[in-house]
Amino acid sequence: MTDALTITRDLIRCPSVTPADAGALGVLEALLKDAGFTTHRVTFSEAGTADIDNLYARIGTEGPHITFAGHTDVVPPGDEAAWSLGAFSGEVKDGYIYGRGAVDMKGGIACSVAAALAYLRDHGGKPKGSISFLITGDEEDVSINGTIKLLQWAAERGEKFDHCVLGEPSNQEVMGDCIKIGRRGSQSGTLIVEGKQGHVAYPHRASNPVPDISRLIVALSDEPLDHGSAQFQPSNLEFTTVDVGNTATNVIAGIARAKFNIRYNDCHTQESLRALVEERLARACGNRIRAHIDWLPSNSNVFLTKPGPFTDLAVAAIAEVTGRRPELSTTGGTSDARFISSYCPVIEFGLVGQTMHQIDERASVADIATLTKIYRGILDRYFA
Ligand SMILES: [Zn+2]
């Protein structure tokens, strides 16, 4: 059976809690192979992380080449007893299919596979260009042995992608309300203020880093990093911890640390952002406070797929099926689109995200049919 609901059910029944695969990639590989795709299973490793299985499948040798990306791994179910229907049951009740991954994002992958197979059936088994699938089992955790390496592997084989649709649950309330065309970057760091430890009764012999780190937190939090850009909301810097590691009330701590994360837009690069924050820190410190920032490595750069023919084509397919014109959004957390954007323009469009990562994650059966039609509409227009 190659309808989207059946594929969704078969995927949900594989308990592929990251990093386990539990047969999920095999479900897709068998369907795609049957339809004439050349398939590759590629395992990537790195010390300290679990080996991850990935799937690449392509039909056609010419351009244009559209690829559907996604992940079959899911977050843990939480308290399985709390689910109305089993967390990996794939059962349908009152118009919803239940199970971990139903919306994030086994349902989205199932719709793209069903749409591609239907397109091929209607076109003598061959696309006018190429259709491929880039499916990883490593998105919900560290994202080290998944999309990032699969893209490098594909590039080394000479694979060239013209456009990508990533089926993450992009819609907020109803099908067709939102396409993601970019994401903000993410950069974390720790602010460290060095004081001098001492007795609280003799503060002149110590240097208390607590008031100073408070001043620096306020200084760095209060001044906007920018005022947003054409496609992005303003960047924001959020302090998430403050810590002196002190258990005594009669001791002035010698050092204070505060962790922060910045979600930044296309007014910045990682380098310019770090420079801006350090310059502000230096100004706030003057020549009295001794402080510095330890930056964490980040592979979450900001990206944007500029509105143009490809987004227009997706909007037209969505409008035809749903009657809605989606917002082109850049909000939310990171996704594998940040890696794909270095290879080709990428948009994210999938199911409605309301129940993702929750107990009773479920996808509307009607939405699965709608998404399959939209993906089919994208393929029809893409190869028209
Ligand atoms: Zn996801």
Side-chain angles (χ1 to χ4, degrees), residues 6 52 57 139 145 319 352 372 375:
T6 306
I52 300 284
E139 198 273 345
N145 293 314
V352 177
T372 308
Y375 286 152

Side-chain angles (χ1 to χ4, degrees), residues 142-156:
V142 288
S143 302
I144 286 174
N145 293 314
T147 300
I148 194 166
K149 286 187 179 164
L150 191 58
L151 286 161
Q152 285 162 2
W153 171 89
E156 280 157 22

Side-chain angles (χ1 to χ4, degrees), residues 26 42 47 55-56 68-69 74 104 120 135 180 197 262 269 305 318 351-352:
V42 221
L55 171 67
Y56 178 64
F68 289 94
V74 296
D104 183 14
L120 293 171
I135 310 290
K180 303 251 190 220
Q197 188 178 321
I262 306 174
T269 63
T305 295
I318 291 162
L351 290 165
V352 177

Side-chain angles (χ1 to χ4, degrees), residues 71 104-105 139-140 168:
H71 63 89
D104 183 14
M105 55 168 281
E139 198 273 345
E140 294 289 8
E168 290 280 7

Side-chain angles (χ1 to χ4, degrees), residues 70-71 73 103-106 139-140 166-169 334-335 356-357:
H71 63 89
D73 60 324
V103 295
D104 183 14
M105 55 168 281
K106 290 174 167 176
E139 198 273 345
E140 294 289 8
L166 176 59
E168 290 280 7
T334 63
S335 76
M356 60 181 166
H357 296 205

Side-chain angles (χ1 to χ4, degrees), residues 7 12 19 21 24 26 38 102 160 196 217 253 257 267 344 353 366 370:
I7 304 171
I12 289 173
D21 171 60
T38 305
K160 285 202 170 52
K196 187 178 173 211
I217 287 171
R257 293 181 179 83
C267 298
C344 69
T370 299

